[in-house]
Amino acid sequence: MRDAYHEELAGLTDRLVEMTRLVRSAMSRGTTALLDADLQLAESVIAQDAEVDRLHMELETSIYELMATQQPVAVDLRTVITALRMAADLERMGDLAEHIAKLARMRHPESAIPAELRETFVEMGAIAENLITKAGSCIASRDIDLAKELEEDDDAMDRRHRRLFRVLLSKDWEHGIEAAIDITLAGRYYERYADHAVRVARDVVYLVTGTRDADALTG
């Protein structure tokens, strides 16, 4: 019985890692769809979000069953609590990638991203992919040193996010209000995606150390 129990706990980690792979793929393809006005790619991202939602629901069900039948304590309890939290963050990251794809679909056949901001969004997409890749590795390995790196990556995302507003508020902005709204929304999606990745990293630190010290990722 205990072997089966620990297999179920390990299975939670496997499902979380699979969720990171799915939301990484969604962000990668969503970014391409946004930049290149690729309608088919955007539709594939939107359709695949159902798979992320399915994994989230399956993981939640498994966790509630484990808590009801096994009454985990100590590290095992932290494992199921953090798995529940991380699954929620990953599901939200999938939603944010879907929002990016929907923005691409809405503006098709034009790109929602003006030429002067294309490089910034390429960079934001790359940072987002790096964040979720590291988050997946953290979940699998419980490497808190790697988890701490996500804070710096999030800072890099925030710098690009601020750059967007400098361009939008510039007197040289010539694309109108609708384009400004699109850029504001898209930038927010990437920024929030990064924030959720950091939350996942903080949960890994909590899982390993048992503390939610505010300086856990930077100290």
Side-chain angles (χ1 to χ4, degrees), residues 84-112:
L84 194 62
R85 288 171 55 92
M86 287 189 281
D89 281 311
L90 292 169
E91 190 274 335
R92 184 56 184 153
M93 291 170 81
D95 288 344
L96 291 163
E98 181 188 23
H99 293 338
I100 290 168
K102 286 182 175 179
L103 180 57
R105 182 176 67 179
M106 182 173 64
R107 295 304 173 210
H108 182 269
E110 303 298 326
S111 172

Side-chain angles (χ1 to χ4, degrees), residues 17-140:
V17 171
E18 178 61 20
M19 287 183 75
T20 67
R21 293 192 185 107
L22 288 173
V23 298
R24 182 187 186 280
S25 174
M27 176 54 77
S28 176
R29 290 179 295 120
T31 297
T32 300
L34 182 68
L35 293 170
D36 297 346
D38 189 323
L39 180 60
Q40 183 175 357
L41 200 57
E43 294 287 7
S44 73
V45 173
I46 294 164
Q48 193 184 45
D49 189 58
E51 179 66 11
V52 177
D53 293 341
R54 182 187 65 78
L55 279 173
H56 181 211
M57 288 187 290
E58 286 184 358
L59 196 144
E60 276 193 338
T61 299
S62 295
I63 288 172
Y64 293 143
E65 288 178 355
L66 279 171
M67 294 183 74
T69 61
Q70 301 295 333
Q71 299 180 342
V73 296
V75 174
D76 290 349
L77 181 59
R78 289 209 301 272
T79 297
V80 296
I81 289 172
T82 54
L84 194 62
R85 288 171 55 92
M86 287 189 281
D89 281 311
L90 292 169
E91 190 274 335
R92 184 56 184 153
M93 291 170 81
D95 288 344
L96 291 163
E98 181 188 23
H99 293 338
I100 290 168
K102 286 182 175 179
L103 180 57
R105 182 176 67 179
M106 182 173 64
R107 295 304 173 210
H108 182 269
E110 303 298 326
S111 172
I113 308 303
E116 63 264 40
L117 285 173
R118 183 179 178 88
E119 182 179 353
T120 299
F121 275 97
V122 169
E123 292 172 357
M124 292 175 83
I127 294 168
E129 288 184 54
N130 188 45
L131 278 161
I132 189 56
T133 299
K134 286 185 179 180
S137 296
C138 290
I139 292 169

